[in-house]
Amino acid sequence: MASSVSGTRLDNATALGWYRQIVMIRLFEEAAQRAFRQGKIGGYLHVYSGQEAVATGFLDAFRDGDKMLTAYRDHAHALILSDDPNAVMAELFGRGTGLVKGKGGSMHLFDAAHGMLGGYGIVGGHIPLGVGIAYALRYQQTDGIVHVYLGDGAIHNAAFHEAANLAGLWGREGLNPTLFILENNQYGMGTSVERATAMTDLGAKFDSYGIEHEKVDGMDLEAVLECAHRVTQRVRETGKPYAVEAMTYRLVPHGAGDFLERYRSKDEVRQWRERDPIGLVERKLLEAGVVDEQRLGEIRDEAKRIVDEAVRFADESPEPPLSELHTDVYADTAG
Amino acid sequence: MPVMTYREALRTAMAEEMERDETVVQLGEDIGVYGGTHLVTDGLLDRFGPKRVIDTPIAEGGFTGAAIGMAMMGLKPVVEMMTWNFSFLAADQIIQNAAKLRYFSGGQVSVPLVIRGPNGGGVQLSAQHTHSLEGFYGHFPGLKVVSPVTPADAKGMMLSAIRDPDPVIFLEAGALYGTKGEVPAGDAKVPFGTARVAREGSDITLIAYGRQVNLLLRVAEKLAKEEQVQAEVIDLRSIRPFDEATILASVRKTNRAVVVQEQWRWYSVASEVAAIIQEQAFDDLDAPVERVSGEEVPAPYARNLEVAAFPSEQQIVDAVHRALYRGA
């Protein structure tokens, strides 16, 4: 996990930690896509390519005792919080060494010991959980906060609206330190924001529930870092919810099995590629004179070695024992 | 032994647990200031304050989901569904999150949650406010489903429910909140997965849960008085986990069984019970297992239609006669 001690600027050598991480996430996702095409990963596979700056930036402000939940595009969050790419890849491969013992797969990555309380497969369904977790954190008199990540597709769902209402309500008493991170990648699967709602200013939906909000450029890691550290401190101090709409873009299809992208043009994707968050980080680091091209290449090689090792580990790991089939249904069937 | 109503028994259990354990909190619609639609939570707000007795907006999915989140953090929330009919709005949270979180987190997360409220009909609430959801919730691994009928069981099973590390669907007999019974004082926990022999008998086994148990007890008295038939009445109490042993022991003794339920027959608890008996005690049976269920219609309003929609004493007596090969 990248350290926050160096501040939020990409103008010094410690910023290379973020670069390594963001590159590693991209390479991890590309390796997962290849493994999916090879039939090594089953089910659904939703990769994060293009949105890396959002999780990298916000989770840089994550502290011990904080909690986070997201939907099914959850690999990056798990990689950052667990710092265990081997276990994340092994989970995608359905292996017993996976993050959740091969019982959840790509959509259900958990690392409770490090605050990751899950990836969830039902759009919007995790949002009320996050609000309840936030209540519990204050009930238990901690100063932890909850990161609740959601996509633009989830914001039309009743679960979002009911949960946001409770967050605003409980936040009046300082009992709801929920940070909503709305990852607006412009499409809920293949349906654009414009085709899903007549009121396309998604951040403003939080106004209905008395929750203040702002927008951030989700492709610009530096902007996300600045925002993340500022707003997490605010939520921690006030116990009130806050929302950030991170404007971002999924540079890959919705799921790894989707090849036809009838809902958006190649030209649109090409234009967004010019704002690829990794390219932006590289440019800033080079412009600041922190690194040269050669050093960036070395860091990419380091990241690639980490990912190659994760794939090798997953490939060589055993499947879960059949005895795992019946464990973890109830407490008295614990594995 | 103290005598109290079913409602008071539930409240006593919840208050005792809240006194004992600060992690127990209550959430629901109008459970605090209003006192609870059925007055089950009456007085808890004054005793324990608004941080622990949380009045919610009318948004079942939202507050049930929030309660699941609290449970994931180690709190022990007790959620009131004003009636179980509204739980369909929270079904995604209950089924997709509460029931499965332990499994799909590989055992990293527990959900020690109780969802309670009145289940079943009988008070002319008509179609949208009348459901018996034992079979529906009993279908899902990861949930525990119980349905006490006596005040003693209401208290004892509520104590078990709150202390359970897994999500419990607590189906109260809504029509019986005012009925009285003896309730043991103190920590008289009733474990899940144990049926209760409500009346001993040797000629036929009558099986139900919830308010149908009282109907069976009336039928059993009538059969004893008028026909010298001694019926054994079994109160399942717990739908999941399920006590097969008590049922099978009784059927091995009586060789005949009638299963009664208010819910619809297709894909129901009675169907499962009948199947278990026939799989495991086939050679002990002298007659096919009979089922008496609700009529296959949405619940009607008019009193006479509603009465006709639910199992009657006569239907049960007729089923007993068929199982005994006696003419009507």
Side-chain angles (χ1 to χ4, degrees):
Chain A
M1 213 165 127
S3 161
S4 61
V5 290
S6 59
T8 61
R9 302 300 305 268
L10 298 176
D11 62 356
N12 61 83
T14 56
L16 296 177
W18 291 315
Y19 180 65
R20 181 184 298 104
Q21 181 169 289
I22 205 169
V23 169
M24 190 271 282
I25 294 168
R26 175 70 57 86
L27 294 175
F28 183 97
E29 296 291 50
E30 289 173 356
Q33 286 175 298
R34 282 193 298 277
F36 183 87
R37 287 193 291 270
Q38 292 165 355
K40 292 181 176 179
I41 294 174
Y44 294 152
L45 182 79
H46 310 92
V47 302
Y48 200 62
S49 302
Q51 301 180 212
E52 295 91 343
V54 181
T56 301
F58 277 99
L59 292 176
D60 192 70
F62 197 83
R63 281 202 209 157
D64 281 352
D66 289 350
K67 309 294 172 189
M68 68 86 29
L69 301 87
T70 187
Y72 44 74
R73 205 174 297 284
D74 59 348
H75 308 166
H77 308 78
L79 287 168
I80 294 166
L81 290 185
S82 74
D83 199 20
D84 191 351
N86 290 4
V88 179
M89 190 65 86
E91 186 59 38
L92 306 190
F93 276 53
R95 303 305 166 109
T97 53
L99 210 55
V100 296
K101 304 191 290 186
K103 295 172 90 160
S106 163
M107 295 191 283
H108 300 302
L109 299 173
F110 280 72
D111 185 357
H114 293 104
M116 181 159 188
L117 291 179
Y120 293 80
I122 306 300
V123 171
H126 65 296
I127 304 171
L129 272 52
V131 170
I133 289 166
Y135 188 96
L137 283 167
R138 282 299 177 272
Y139 186 90
Q140 293 164 334
Q141 298 180 329
T142 76
D143 71 346
I145 73 168
V146 183
H147 290 212
V148 175
Y149 294 80
L150 63 145
D152 51 277
I155 206 155
H156 315 299
N157 186 304
F160 164 75
H161 289 273
E162 295 185 16
N165 184 51
L166 289 173
L169 185 69
W170 294 341
R172 283 196 315 211
E173 317 293 326
L175 286 168
N176 219 266
T178 304
L179 176 60
F180 294 95
I181 299 151
L182 169 57
E183 299 191 64
N184 183 350
N185 70 10
Q186 331 280 333
Y187 294 90
M189 264 187 81
T191 301
S192 66
V193 171
E194 291 72 24
R195 292 175 59 225
T197 182
M199 212 285 276
T200 55
D201 180 1
L202 301 188
K205 309 233 180 209
F206 288 91
D207 286 335
S208 308
Y209 307 110
I211 298 172
E212 292 184 59
H213 56 89
E214 65 186 78
K215 265 191 175 60
V216 68
D217 179 354
M219 306 305 265
D220 180 353
L221 177 62
E222 202 166 31
V224 176
L225 284 163
E226 184 282 322
C227 173
H229 284 274
R230 178 169 44 78
V231 302
T232 51
Q233 186 181 347
R234 171 192 170 126
V235 171
R236 201 178 304 283
E237 285 172 359
T238 62
K240 290 183 194 306
Y242 191 77
V244 178
E245 181 183 12
M247 305 306 291
T248 183
Y249 197 77
R250 167 167 57 66
L251 292 170
V252 290
H254 164 75
D258 302 335
F259 302 107
L260 295 172
E261 292 200 273
R262 291 188 178 124
Y263 56 88
R264 61 185 188 181
S265 67
K266 287 200 167 64
D267 197 43
E268 178 184 301
V269 179
R270 190 185 50 73
Q271 283 179 21
W272 276 96
R273 279 198 184 280
E274 288 168 15
R275 302 208 67 242
D276 185 318
I278 295 178
L280 286 183
V281 171
E282 288 173 351
R283 255 173 278 160
K284 288 197 181 189
L285 291 171
L286 290 167
E287 279 166 19
V290 177
V291 282
D292 55 21
E293 285 285 3
Q294 188 190 337
R295 180 73 188 117
L296 289 179
E298 288 165 8
I299 293 171
R300 286 194 296 270
D301 289 343
E302 289 167 32
K304 183 171 179 305
R305 280 195 291 277
I306 293 170
V307 171
D308 288 346
E309 165 59 16
V311 171
R312 187 201 60 75
F313 175 82
D315 235 350
E316 293 176 4
S317 285
E319 292 178 318
L322 277 179
S323 58
E324 280 292 342
L325 177 63
H326 292 286
T327 59
D328 303 320
V329 182
Y330 297 100
D332 56 10
T333 61
Chain B
M1 212 183 287
V3 171
M4 62 176 80
T5 62
Y6 190 96
R7 167 190 292 120
E8 288 163 343
L10 291 167
R11 187 192 305 140
T12 301
M14 295 192 295
E16 282 177 8
E17 286 304 280
M18 291 183 82
E19 201 69 64
R20 201 183 60 79
D21 182 353
E22 279 207 351
T23 66
V24 181
V25 298
Q26 304 267 345
L27 296 94
E29 295 155 358
D30 276 320
I31 62 167
V33 174
Y34 192 102
T37 309
H38 310 280
L39 298 175
V40 175
T41 54
D42 194 22
L44 296 181
L45 175 64
D46 289 343
R47 267 179 84 178
F48 299 104
K51 240 169 133 170
R52 296 185 69 190
V53 180
I54 306 164
D55 275 323
T56 66
I58 303 169
E60 288 79 5
F63 67 72
T64 303
I68 295 167
M70 293 176 188
M72 292 166 72
M73 289 295 294
L75 300 191
K76 298 194 183 86
V78 179
V79 172
E80 175 170 298
M81 281 293 154
M82 187 185 289
T83 81
W84 274 100
N85 306 289
F86 312 154
S87 74
F88 294 115
L89 287 162
D92 180 67
Q93 291 299 328
I94 297 169
I95 295 161
Q96 294 277 30
N97 286 331
K100 301 175 183 172
L101 262 159
R102 183 187 297 282
Y103 198 80
F104 67 60
S105 71
Q108 294 183 44
V109 170
S110 292
V111 184
L113 168 74
V114 181
I115 310 178
R116 52 153 289 272
N119 176 56
V123 285
Q124 279 189 276
L125 287 171
S126 77
Q128 290 192 315
H129 280 70
T130 304
H131 288 91
S132 296
L133 295 179
E134 315 79 63
F136 178 79
Y137 285 113
H139 186 62
F140 297 101
L143 298 178
K144 294 183 178 178
V145 182
V146 298
S147 182
V149 63
T150 66
D153 282 347
K155 180 184 172 190
M157 297 184 86
M158 181 55 76
L159 293 174
S160 293
I162 294 173
R163 292 178 204 174
D164 201 284
D166 289 302
V168 177
I169 302 296
F170 200 95
L171 304 170
E172 296 163 5
L176 302 183
Y177 279 130
T179 56
K180 288 186 176 172
E182 290 190 334
V183 176
D187 197 15
K189 233 167 61 132
V190 174
F192 295 167
T194 59
R196 177 177 70 98
V197 179
R199 182 186 192 281
E200 290 196 17
S202 53
D203 299 329
I204 188 162
T205 301
L206 308 181
I207 301 163
Y209 51 90
R211 75 184 179 112
Q212 307 303 322
V213 173
N214 292 343
L215 178 60
L216 291 189
L217 288 170
R218 287 200 298 276
V219 169
E221 289 308 315
K222 190 174 163 183
L223 288 169
K225 207 165 118 191
E226 296 175 8
E227 305 185 32
Q228 289 75 52
V229 169
Q230 292 302 330
E232 181 142 296
V233 176
I234 294 180
D235 172 7
L236 290 176
R237 301 201 285 199
S238 180
I239 306 300
R240 189 191 264 268
F242 187 85
D243 178 1
E244 293 185 358
T246 300
I247 306 286
L248 295 172
S250 180
V251 171
R252 290 191 173 118
K253 179 171 71 175
T254 65
N255 313 114
R256 300 160 203 277
V258 177
V259 195
V260 180
Q261 61 185 2
E262 190 173 298
Q263 70 172 153
W264 296 301
R265 191 191 73 192
W266 287 83
Y267 320 113
S268 64
V269 171
S271 303
E272 190 60 34
V273 173
I276 289 168
I277 293 170
Q278 296 189 62
E279 279 166 0
Q280 302 198 38
F282 187 79
D283 292 338
D284 295 289
L285 284 173
D286 286 342
V289 178
E290 289 282 339
R291 288 173 293 168
V292 180
S293 308
E295 292 295 318
E296 300 288 328
V297 296
Y301 169 70
R303 185 68 192 148
N304 65 325
L305 296 181
E306 186 189 42
V307 167
F310 294 137
S312 65
E313 286 189 21
Q314 191 55 52
Q315 283 175 312
I316 298 166
V317 169
D318 290 346
V320 167
H321 286 164
R322 285 194 298 274
L324 290 167
Y325 296 109
R326 291 193 183 181

